[in-house]
Amino acid sequence: MPEPTVNDVLAELAALDEPRAREINAKHGDDHGVNLTKLRAVAKRLKTQQELARELWATDDTAAKLLATLICRPKAFERAELDAMLRTARTPKVHDWLVNYVVKKSPHAEELRVAWFADPDPVIASAGWALTTDRVAQGHDDLGNLLEIIEKEMKDAPERLQWAMNHCLAQIGIEHAEHRARAIEIGERLEVLKDYPTPPNCTSPFAPIWITEMVRRKS
């Protein structure tokens, strides 16, 4: 069987597009209608194809970009290429998958974390915070400074950046007992996501609740 072309894959994704899935995804800021389980099945069949992944990413199709993150070879991207890719990740899901499935596995992850963390674009900065949160779990060496930044900036940060900072705050409280009381106090005082609607049997993203519940589960 000949290898599928980018047009073949785009046609397959278009055939999988469902109005109901598009409606649900739109509520989360994503403009595609492909069920993610079906998208992963396509990726599993295609396996790793780096050049096809690059061609899919170069399209303006959200489902194609998501698929690209699943079939690429993360270590094959150059630092500048990953930076450019993040800046064309228009939707939250594409942004999230690129950071978690590709950048975190790249040898350039730490270099990009530092650069993105200080980027003036809050969406790009949120990627830096996501990578920092991942590092917190591994033992970040400057947690006090992170807490100071969160304390000063999280309350008024744009939504995507605020979510990323809040996740970092919770991670610090969950993973580092010596900073737990301060992390909870900051969360209680700032009240970020305190009233966020949370479905039954799910943990609230409000940091004090999130920290307390995850610590309880660990013990």
Side-chain angles (χ1 to χ4, degrees):
M1 291 286 290
E3 293 292 337
T5 67
V6 66
N7 287 333
D8 293 334
V9 177
L10 288 173
E12 182 175 2
L13 292 175
L16 292 174
D17 196 278
E18 303 170 0
R20 177 58 181 156
R22 182 172 287 277
E23 181 183 337
I24 294 170
N25 290 334
K27 293 178 181 178
H28 303 287
D30 292 309
D31 57 352
H32 75 96
V34 180
N35 177 283
L36 295 182
T37 300
K38 293 180 180 179
L39 185 77
R40 290 181 186 279
V42 173
K44 186 176 181 180
R45 191 190 75 243
L46 291 173
K47 300 181 181 177
T48 302
Q49 296 194 47
Q50 179 67 7
E51 290 313 309
L52 179 59
R54 280 193 167 105
E55 291 176 14
L56 289 169
W57 187 272
T59 71
D60 197 38
D61 185 275
T62 294
K65 287 182 182 291
L66 290 173
L67 182 60
T69 68
L70 299 177
I71 67 168
C72 72
R73 188 176 293 106
K75 293 180 180 179
F77 291 109
E78 297 296 330
R79 178 194 182 283
E81 191 174 10
L82 289 170
D83 182 74
M85 289 169 72
L86 185 72
R87 295 175 193 279
T88 59
R90 296 181 296 102
T91 69
K93 184 69 74 177
V94 171
H95 177 105
D96 180 59
W97 283 22
L98 177 66
V99 172
N100 285 288
Y101 299 162
V102 184
V103 179
K104 284 184 181 180
K105 299 175 183 178
S106 163
H108 309 293
E110 177 58 16
E111 202 177 345
L112 289 168
R113 182 190 74 81
V114 173
W116 290 343
F117 190 88
D119 198 281
D121 182 331
V123 175
I124 303 301
S126 73
W129 276 90
L131 293 171
T132 298
T133 298
D134 195 54
R135 193 172 164 209
V136 162
Q138 301 165 15
H140 193 288
D141 56 4
D142 199 5
L143 299 176
N145 184 53
L146 286 177
L147 288 171
E148 285 184 17
I149 297 171
I150 291 168
E151 189 171 21
K152 291 177 184 176
E153 300 179 13
M154 182 172 74
K155 181 77 171 179
D156 299 316
E159 184 180 10
R160 298 264 290 276
L161 180 55
Q162 185 182 70
W163 269 93
M165 295 174 84
N166 183 71
H167 190 180
C168 189
L169 175 65
Q171 196 73 30
I172 292 171
I174 292 164
E175 299 291 343
H176 300 277
E178 69 276 21
H179 293 284
R180 188 167 297 146
R182 186 181 176 197
I184 290 174
E185 187 277 327
I186 290 172
E188 288 175 341
R189 181 156 39 83
L190 298 185
E191 298 187 333
V192 168
L193 301 177
K194 183 178 181 178
D195 299 320
Y196 190 81
T198 305
N201 302 318
C202 291
T203 303
S204 169
F206 180 48
I209 294 176
W210 190 354
I211 293 167
T212 302
E213 174 59 18
M214 295 309 294
V215 170
R216 183 192 69 79
R217 291 184 193 179
K218 284 189 171 189
S219 63

